[in-house]
């Protein structure tokens, strides 16, 4: 993606500076520090003139104490000013990075579900991590180096002009070709550093996949293949990094060569001025020191260009996130607690880039307090259907009504408050049992509510045995609990939420009979008195459902009760023979 090479950098940078405004006092303080630093540095250079002329040439002993003291004094001032600059700048930069990452994470949580299909989580992590840091560097550190070094160059120039304007002007002829060369080098650097970052992202993504799936990798003996894939990406990264490295090195070599040529010119012109009696030995030393001070300053300035470019590329990506369209949330209808009647009217859905629609013309009504079981082959659209209800995705056509009004009429947060969701994958966070059950808006719910939810979900029996009861940490993703225990915690969370609509995606992997029965009982309790939509894999769920929807290739092909559908002898009867099993009776002919 060479987009950022073409995009004008200035508007992005200006927007970035906007993030610095809250820290303007710190930045002003830093600027003051820089001015003092540069002034002290220049004064030191100018001091070299009397040092040489008085101490060595005139052998003036009166100044022999004052001059050394003045040198120490100047460096004390310079050191203090530099410290103030560094601290203020550092604080601003880190604060900007912090502000950005918090804003970007907030934004990610407001983006529609589709975004998460197109942008992998590791790349989101990059935005929050290195991109945020780099942006802060660009906004502040680069500005710091730029100002600091420019001030030093200006200081040095003033000293030079003051000492001998004739020599200085002769040397200034060097400046334009130097600038052209620096610009060329910087452009090349910018191109490669951008590609290095993208390659770094791919590298991380590959590692993330491999590590997260380590069990599969081991079981299927895919280590070599995974390593080869990762190795190839790492080679690419290495190749690009080396290009960046060599460009960086060439750039400083070029700048230094320019410096040497400048020095040669200085010697040439200074010699003529000295012969004409217009330049003392001390004056020459001052000129030389000023020029020597300019070389590293110029070199740093060329690096700043690179730093800025990297930061601007990162900023573009961050702003891309901040500017992305959020989930649509245009409804205004009041909703405290829905009755829970859901109606699908001619719903069609299609994922971007998919040829076939995921759902076509789905129509059904789920009455309050009833259970609707959804069955169908893998890929038939079951998950897609239920994801439309909390508006994780928007249907392409048709309308979904809740209590007779389109979902889009309600505020998104209100709508989602009506829904409890128990997915196939158990979503738990690193924290205590209590924090996981009383999650999000439930966090303020009273202690007895939590107790009751744990009881109802048959979770108390194991929670009470944990070392600190419901205060016990469960590890990342609930790693310290068994599968059945994790499921019961998630059910407890849904019970605590007590929402009128319940969406269930039954786990396909069955637990042992004992656990399975506990989970099933907990689920039955959860389902009572709610409008339940359940993607069903268990026969018992389907048998007890008020209606069964049979999906095939995104279409609703059959609808009725278990008994009715069996009697029809269609797809459901077929699936029933092939697929549904009763826990504990997996071996029984079914
Ligand atoms: N995020 C996505 N992006 C693109 N296509 C998708 C996405 N999710 C699902 N699909 C496609 O939509 C169709 C329906 O998928 P869906 O996940 O709804 O099936 P399902 O019935 O839940 O299957 P399973 O029983 O395997 O979970 C499939 O063809 C699938 O390839
Ligand atoms: Mg599914």
């Amino acid at each position: 993606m060479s987009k950022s090479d073409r995009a004008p950098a200035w508007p992005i940078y200006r927007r970035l500076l906007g993030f610095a405004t809250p820290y303007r006092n710190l930045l002003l303080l830093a600027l003051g520090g820089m001015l003092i630093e540069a002034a002290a540095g220049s004064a030191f250079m100018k001091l070299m003139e009397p040092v040489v002329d008085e101490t060595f040439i005139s052998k003036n002993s009166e100044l022999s104490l004052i001059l050394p003291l003045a040198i120490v004094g100047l460096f004390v001032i310079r050191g203090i000013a530099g410290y103030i600059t560094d601290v203020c700048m550092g604080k601003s930069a880190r604060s900007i990075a912090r502000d950005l990452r918090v804003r970007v994470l907030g934004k990610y949580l407001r983006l529609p579900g589709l975004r998460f299909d197109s942008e992998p989580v590791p790349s989101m992590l990059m935005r929050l991590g290195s991109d945020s840091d780099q942006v802060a560097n660009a906004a502040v550190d680069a500005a710091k180096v730029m100002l600091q070094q420019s001030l030093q160059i200006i200081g040095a120039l003033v000293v030079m002009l003051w000492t001998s304007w004739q020599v200085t002007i002769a040397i200034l002829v060097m400046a334009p070709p130097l600038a052209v060369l620096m610009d060329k080098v910087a452009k090349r650097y910018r191109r490669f550093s951008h590609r290095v970052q993208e390659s770094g992202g791919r590298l991380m993504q590959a590692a993330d996949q491999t590590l997260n799936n380590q069990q599969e990798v081991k079981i299927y003996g895919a280590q070599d293949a995974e390593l080869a894939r990762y190795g190839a990406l790492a080679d690419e990264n290495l190749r690009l990094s080396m290009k960046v490295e060599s460009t960086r090195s060439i750039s400083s070599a070029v700048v230094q060569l320019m410096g040497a040529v400048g020095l040669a010119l200085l010697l040439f012109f200074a010699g003529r001025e000295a012969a004409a009696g217009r330049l003392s030995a001390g004056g020459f030393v001052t000129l030389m020191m000023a020029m020597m001070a300019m070389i590293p300053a110029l070199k740093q300035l060329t690096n700043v260009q690179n730093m800025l470019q990297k930061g601007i590329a990162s900023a573009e990506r961050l702003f891309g996130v901040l500017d992305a369209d959020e989930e649509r949330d245009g409804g205004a209808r009041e909703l405290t607690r829905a009755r829970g009647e859901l109606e699908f009217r001619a719903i069609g859905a299609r994922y971007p880039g998919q040829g076939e629609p995921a759902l076509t013309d789905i129509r059904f009504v789920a009455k309050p307090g009833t259970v609707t079981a959804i069955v169908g082959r893998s890929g038939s659209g079951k998950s897609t259907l239920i994801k439309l209800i909390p508006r994780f995705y928007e249907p392409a056509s048709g309308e979904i009504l809740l209590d007779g009004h389109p979902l889009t009429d309600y505020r998104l947060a209100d709508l989602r408050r009506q829904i409890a969701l128990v997915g196939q994958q158990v979503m738990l966070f690193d924290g205590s049992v209590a924090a996981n059950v009383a999650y999000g808006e439930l966090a303020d719910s009273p202690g007895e509510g939590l107790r009751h939810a744990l009881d109802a979900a048959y979770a108390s029996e194991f929670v009470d045995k944990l070392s600190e009861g419901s205060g016990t940490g469960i590890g990342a993703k609930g790693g310290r609990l068994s599968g059945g225990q994790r499921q019961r915690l998630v059910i407890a969370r849904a019970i605590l939420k007590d929402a009128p609509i319940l969406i269930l995606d039954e786990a396909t992997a069955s637990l042992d009979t004992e656990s399975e029965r506990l989970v099933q009982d907990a689920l039955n309790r959860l389902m009572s008195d709610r409008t339940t939509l359940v993607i069903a894999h268990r026969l018992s769920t389907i048998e007890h459902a008020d209606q069964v929807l049979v999906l095939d290739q995104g279409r609703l092909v059959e609808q009725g009760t278990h008994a009715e559908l069996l009697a029809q002898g269609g797809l459901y009867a077929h699936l029933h023979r092939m697929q549904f099993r009763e826990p504990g009776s997996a071996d029984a002919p079914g």
Side-chain angles (χ1 to χ4, degrees), residues 331-472:
R333 179 172 288 278
E334 289 286 316
L335 182 62
T336 37
R337 187 174 178 88
R339 277 188 301 119
E341 183 179 85
L342 277 172
E343 180 177 357
F344 275 59
R345 279 196 189 156
I347 287 294
R350 185 195 289 271
Y351 291 99
Q354 297 300 85
E356 292 293 304
L359 290 176
T360 313
D361 197 31
I362 302 288
R363 306 159 187 268
F364 71 92
V365 177
K367 289 248 170 323
T370 63
V371 174
T372 302
I374 304 165
V375 301
R377 296 193 180 96
S378 180
S380 57
K382 304 180 297 290
S383 300
T384 307
L385 190 153
I386 57 168
K387 281 190 281 195
L388 296 176
I389 299 170
R391 292 182 62 195
F392 292 149
Y393 294 86
E394 298 290 340
S397 57
E399 239 179 4
I400 303 174
L401 309 182
L402 172 62
D403 293 353
H405 299 285
L407 293 186
T408 45
D409 279 7
Y410 300 109
R411 271 197 301 261
L412 208 49
D414 280 352
L415 170 69
R416 289 178 178 167
R417 216 166 275 134
Q418 312 303 317
I419 300 170
L421 184 73
V422 179
Q424 220 166 36
Q425 272 134 20
V426 174
M427 293 302 170
L428 290 168
F429 303 84
D430 194 6
S432 67
V433 168
N436 267 284
V437 174
Y439 181 66
E441 291 185 333
L442 303 174
D444 308 327
S445 50
E448 63 261 38
L450 175 68
R451 193 74 254 162
H452 162 79
L454 287 173
D455 283 341
Y458 300 98
S460 303
E461 54 111 11
F462 75 86
V463 171
D464 290 342
K465 284 188 207 131
L466 296 174
S467 57
E468 290 156 60
S470 62
T472 315

